[in-house]
Amino acid sequence: MTFGEYIREIREEQQLLLREVASQMNIDTALLSKIERGTRMARKEQAEALAKVLKQNKSELLQYWLADKIVFMLKDEKNITEILKIVEQKINRLSKK
């Protein structure tokens, strides 16, 4: 499930209109629609605002957001698995410091 699908599902479960959520976030309804459809990537601040408006765990919502951001960055690369292995190694080294 993408970040956009995830927030749309939550919004619809709470029976909130797109324009209501966008208004509470101080963004255009069209922008929120694009985020939900996956044609526009939300900024981190927007993802945090969505967590607040939708009364969701900020950390969990940011995980979905960051996962989508990484996928977007790597989707056209040929050696995605190898790239992610290198990233994992680097993260492991950083966490040991």
Side-chain angles (χ1 to χ4, degrees):
M1 179 180 290
T2 67
F3 175 74
E5 292 167 340
Y6 183 65
I7 61 169
R8 177 183 288 154
E9 184 177 285
I10 294 167
R11 179 181 60 76
E12 289 176 348
E13 283 175 1
Q14 295 180 10
Q15 298 180 338
L16 295 170
L17 297 173
L18 197 63
R19 69 175 181 261
E20 292 175 306
V21 175
S23 174
Q24 290 181 45
M25 294 175 60
N26 294 318
I27 65 170
D28 187 60
T29 304
L31 174 58
L32 182 55
S33 176
K34 289 176 185 176
I35 291 170
E36 285 190 353
R37 286 182 283 131
T39 60
R40 181 87 180 259
M41 191 74 198
R43 294 190 330 264
K44 185 176 183 180
E45 300 80 25
Q46 292 167 332
E48 291 171 339
L50 277 164
K52 185 175 180 179
V53 170
L54 298 174
K55 298 176 179 75
Q56 297 297 303
N57 180 293
K58 182 171 124 180
S59 177
E60 184 178 319
L61 203 69
L62 286 176
Q63 287 176 23
Y64 276 93
W65 171 79
L66 191 53
D68 269 16
K69 188 172 181 173
I70 292 168
V71 168
F72 181 77
M73 287 173 37
L74 297 178
K75 67 182 169 77
D76 296 324
E77 299 299 326
K78 293 178 184 167
N79 302 320
I80 295 173
T81 304
E82 290 79 13
I83 293 167
L84 290 174
K85 286 178 186 176
I86 294 168
V87 169
E88 184 178 21
Q89 291 169 357
K90 289 183 176 192
I91 289 171
N92 286 337
R93 280 195 297 262
L94 285 173
S95 64
K96 290 178 183 177
K97 290 183 178 182

